[in-house]
Every structure is written in C-alpha cells, then in structure tokens.
Amino acid sequence: MNDRLKRLLKVWSAKPTVGAKRNLLIVLAFVVVCAVEGAMFIQTTGPLSIPDTDLHANSIYAVVTGQEFSPVQGHKDPYGNQVRIQHITGDSRYLFRTGMHNGMVSDLLEEFHQEASRQSGRHPHSSFLSYFLYDKHRVVQESTDRQHALTVTIPVKTLTNRSNQYFPIVYAPQAFGVWIGMKIGLSPFANWQLGRITNFLLFLALYALAIVILPRGKAFLAVLGVLPMTVFMASSLMADAFFISVATLFVALLLKCAESGRRMGNGTLAGLIALTALLVFCKGVYVALALLVMVLPKKVLSTKRKIVFVVVSMLVSLPIYGVWSAMFSSTFPNVNVAKNVAYAGKRPVKIVAMVLYSTLSALWQNAPKYSFDVAAFVVLIVAWLGYIVYNRRVFKTKKNESWIAIYRYALTSLVILVLILLAIYAIEAMIWNRLYYMGWNDYLMGMEERYFFPLLPLLLTIGYTDKAARADLDYRQ
C-alpha cells in the first residue's frame, strides 16, 4: 500500500472536527432551504412566466431537437438593423408558448405574491403554497397539453425567436430534462417542468460544491444562494442559473487557492481554465472575473503560469465562441443601432458621460423596491457585515504589508464590477436607447437586476486577506 493511499485512508477514518461538522451543517442547510424554495417555485409558478421566453424556451427546444446550429438568414428588422434570424420547426405546443408571461424577475415575484393574497381571500380552501405565490398564467400554460400538435416554423409575424442569441451550452441542463420527458412520453407542460428540475439540480450541485471548497465565508455564500430571486432563476428555464453557479464556483475555487498559500496544482489550474471558458460561453462580460487570477501571489501562481492561464483560456474558448458567433449569433436591438453609432461618433463625450452616469447610478437604479426584495437585501447586508467583522477579528494583517497587497482582491473586484457595468451600459446604450433624444444625465435603459447576481460572490473578497498578507495564521475551520 503506497503512502498516498495510506494518507487518504487516514483522512477518511479520522474523527470529524467541530469545524468540519459546522461546514457540513452549512452545506446541508443550504441544500434543504434551497430545495424547499425551488420546489415551491416549480409547484406554484408556470415555466413560461419568466423574462424573454422567445430566448430561453425557444433555445431549449432548439437544443433538444438538434436545431441549435440551424442556418440563419439575414433580415432587416423594423428599426432598420440587419439581424440574423434562425428558423426552428417543431411542435406548436412548445413553439407557440401559450400563456407566456414576460417581466423582470422582481416584478414577477411581486405579482405572484400579490395575486396569492387576493386568491387566498377568494378561495380559502386553496393549497398551502398558494398563500405565498400564485401565478394565474400557469393554468393557461398547462392547457397546451389539451391542444392538438401542429408542425410549425417560427419566427412568424406574431411570434419572435431568439434561439441564436446565447451559446447553446448554457441551455444543456434544461434541454436534458426536456429531452428525457420527450423520450418517456410526458406532456409538453410536464417536459418544461422537468427542464426546470434538471436546471435546478445542476445549480444546486455546483453551488453546494462552491460552498464546500470555499475556505471561509461558507455561511455568507449559502445566504447568497437562498435569496428568493436567486432560487427563482435557478428553478426556472432561464440560463441565468448557469451563469450564477459557474461564476460562484470560479470565485470559490480561486479563493481556495489563495487561502492555501501553496503552489497551484495543474488540475486546479485546468479547473480555473475550464470555468473561465464557461464564463465566455455564458456572457462575454463575465470573463472579467478572471482578472482575480492575475492578483494571486506568485507563490501560488507564478507569472509564467498566469500567462499560460490566459493563453490556454483563450485557445479553449475564443475559437469555438468566435466561430459560432460569426456563423449564428445575433443581437436583437430595439432601436436603430447605426443611427446611435453615428450619433455617438459626433458626440463621444456625451455618450461617455451617459455611460459613466448610468454605471455610477446602477446600484440605486436597481435597488430593491418590493417588500420581499427589501427583506432579502437586509438579510444579505447583515450576513455580509457579519462576514467582514469575522474576518477582521480573526485574521490579522501584517503591519508592514502595503494596503494594496492586503486589499488586492477587493480592489480587483471593484475594477471588475466597474468594467462589467461599463461594458453592459455601453452595449445597452447602442441597442436599447435612442441616444439622440436623451441628455447626458438620463439613465440608460436595458439593465436588469438579474445581471448583478453572478457578481454577488465578489462580495466575498471584501475584507478577505490571504495567507501571504496575514500575521495571524490561526485559521479555525
């Protein structure tokens, strides 16, 4: 028996420490609470009561039926933009999206909650869950099971299709569930629901793994994972669940490497490269999270290996994403982009001012506005402050260490946040807003609060100090 196997057996046979038991309890608490929330959302809300069903539902159906790489055709939209249209053909019960209900996530949750209050008064014998959430559109969506299946092709005049907007891999979890349902002969509504379940299970697994490998702040990360909006997206057909779980796992793995203070193994480096590639496939702007790798101590990741990380990440992701983007991808603007670009060329200072103003005002423009939103925000802030206070009390920094070395992860996270917001607002400025009618201090439309959720794990870096800058190494698991 070799030494490595002996060490493994010793670890497995060792009695769990108090810290290990507490960490296990945090993971189990997250899984239970998140599972209960997710089950409630799946049971009470319709699968097509989400933002952008023409994007999410159609993309899932395209992946399931092997049409994700169907040829695209150039088309001039009503605003005069040249866009690429992908036609997909199939069962009308899926593609007509009967009963779909579009809205921002917070607006939908507030609507379901208000409707539950009205329904509980009208129907006192309704189900227990309907006292919390009630989606009146769910019944209409379920009625598709009683419709005759027709073979149709979309888009048509009354039905849009954006199945070529996101890279297909982000819909693999939902598509797997829908595919299983089709194979065993379930109804369309049941298949959508099964797609939600598989999407949620992958989120649950990846997020729980992130909590396990995170060296500290496990309880705070668990709180982030059970916020109502997080779980609603995780238990829906939306691709945002994949974005959030991949970004969270990336930050957790990076902080684990920083905490160890040891040379990063090749396997861990490969894991970070794979997660970086997935961030590119999710949404290009989120790849800015990879900047955190650049500030790891040289003892953990040398300059040479950082270059390897950048080069290999680009080689793994950019050719694949670039070819797909060049052949299939398209955006679907709500304004004339050429007119916006021409105006921006004549008024560059004004456009920069508009983007900067919107970036600086992003947090209060997207601030919580409903009761459940405010409650979740308060819980988030309290948990975050507790995490920061704990770090400051337990982990002491070296007196002669520069503040840049001490706070390099927090400073980098701030840079990442600003870069991502600038990129999002610059894009939204061109495709969502009529710039020629707006003043420099008008808020740019198009930003949604859900875009912030993959960035929430960056809060872990505030108050975080790695082993290289610490004087007190008494880290209690």
Side-chain angles (χ1 to χ4, degrees), residues 361-396:
S361 60
L363 296 181
W364 66 78
Q365 288 286 352
N366 293 275
K369 53 186 175 180
Y370 301 119
S371 55
F372 79 89
D373 242 353
V374 173
F377 182 73
V378 170
V379 170
L380 169 62
I381 293 299
V382 170
W384 185 39
L385 291 176
Y387 166 73
I388 293 174
V389 170
Y390 174 78
N391 275 337
R392 292 297 296 262
R393 291 186 63 182
V394 175
F395 305 105
K396 307 299 181 182

Side-chain angles (χ1 to χ4, degrees), residues 96-116:
F96 280 174
R97 308 191 308 279
T98 302
M100 60 181 173
H101 183 47
N102 187 45
M104 294 178 66
V105 172
S106 60
D107 294 337
L108 290 172
L109 289 179
E110 177 65 13
E111 177 189 325
F112 299 153
H113 177 65
Q114 294 297 332
E115 189 63 29

Side-chain angles (χ1 to χ4, degrees), residues 103-342:
M104 294 178 66
V105 172
S106 60
D107 294 337
L108 290 172
L109 289 179
E110 177 65 13
E111 177 189 325
F112 299 153
H113 177 65
Q114 294 297 332
E115 189 63 29
S117 300
R118 290 190 288 269
Q119 290 294 327
S120 61
R122 296 175 194 165
H123 307 286
H125 300 294
S126 54
S127 68
F128 172 74
L129 291 179
S130 64
Y131 282 94
F132 300 98
L133 297 168
Y134 184 85
D135 178 14
K136 61 184 178 182
H137 304 278
R138 179 188 169 98
V139 177
V140 182
Q141 295 167 22
E142 199 167 2
S143 69
T144 57
D145 291 349
R146 299 187 293 275
Q147 296 175 0
H148 293 293
L150 304 173
T151 300
V152 298
T153 299
I154 60 169
V156 293
K157 190 173 183 180
T158 56
L159 282 173
T160 56
N161 176 45
R162 292 190 285 159
S163 58
N164 56 323
Q165 184 166 329
Y166 283 166
F167 194 74
I169 196 172
V170 303
Y171 291 105
Q174 306 93 310
F176 180 65
V178 174
W179 177 79
I180 290 176
M182 287 182 173
K183 287 297 181 182
I184 62 179
L186 297 181
S187 67
F189 183 84
N191 289 339
W192 286 135
Q193 292 289 77
L194 192 53
R196 295 174 73 180
I197 292 172
T198 51
N199 193 32
F200 181 60
L201 289 177
L202 181 65
F203 168 83
L204 205 61
L206 293 180
Y207 206 97
L209 177 60
I211 296 174
V212 169
I213 68 177
L214 186 69
R216 50 182 142 123
K218 296 176 187 289
F220 173 62
L221 188 60
V223 170
L224 292 181
V226 298
L227 294 175
M229 286 182 63
T230 303
V231 183
F232 177 80
M233 290 184 280
S235 59
S236 73
L237 294 174
M238 299 164 64
D240 297 71
F242 193 68
F243 303 167
I244 295 169
S245 56
V246 170
T248 303
L249 190 56
F250 178 89
V251 173
L253 182 57
L254 183 132
L255 292 182
K256 178 179 174 62
C257 297
E259 183 66 29
S260 72
R262 298 188 298 271
R263 182 181 183 275
M264 185 187 298
N266 291 333
T268 304
L269 181 59
L272 284 174
I273 290 171
L275 290 170
T276 303
L278 288 177
L279 288 172
V280 173
F281 297 149
C282 289
K283 269 190 179 181
V285 292
Y286 292 139
V287 77
L289 290 169
L291 287 175
L292 286 169
V293 176
M294 298 296 104
V295 297
L296 285 169
K298 290 184 179 180
K299 185 177 179 181
V300 175
L301 194 65
S302 65
T303 302
K304 181 179 178 181
R305 299 185 81 211
K306 287 175 182 176
I307 295 172
V308 170
F309 164 80
V310 173
V311 172
V312 177
S313 296
M314 292 174 63
L315 290 176
V316 169
S317 60
L318 293 185
I320 298 172
Y321 188 81
V323 170
W324 172 81
S325 203
M327 295 180 64
F328 302 100
S329 180
S330 181
T331 56
F332 299 89
N334 282 356
V335 295
N336 187 302
V337 175
K339 196 171 181 179
N340 270 347
V341 171

Side-chain angles (χ1 to χ4, degrees), residues 390-438:
Y390 174 78
N391 275 337
R392 292 297 296 262
R393 291 186 63 182
V394 175
F395 305 105
K396 307 299 181 182
T397 57
K398 297 176 181 177
K399 293 182 179 180
N400 59 345
E401 196 74 25
S402 69
W403 67 274
I404 293 179
I406 294 171
Y407 300 110
R408 61 179 176 270
Y409 300 107
L411 292 171
T412 307
S413 293
L414 181 61
V415 171
I416 290 169
L417 175 63
V418 172
L419 287 176
I420 290 177
L421 290 180
L422 284 172
I424 290 175
Y425 278 113
I427 295 169
E428 302 296 358
M430 295 298 158
I431 67 175
W432 269 90
N433 299 267
R434 290 180 172 86
L435 301 178
Y436 35 87
Y437 291 143
M438 301 173 68

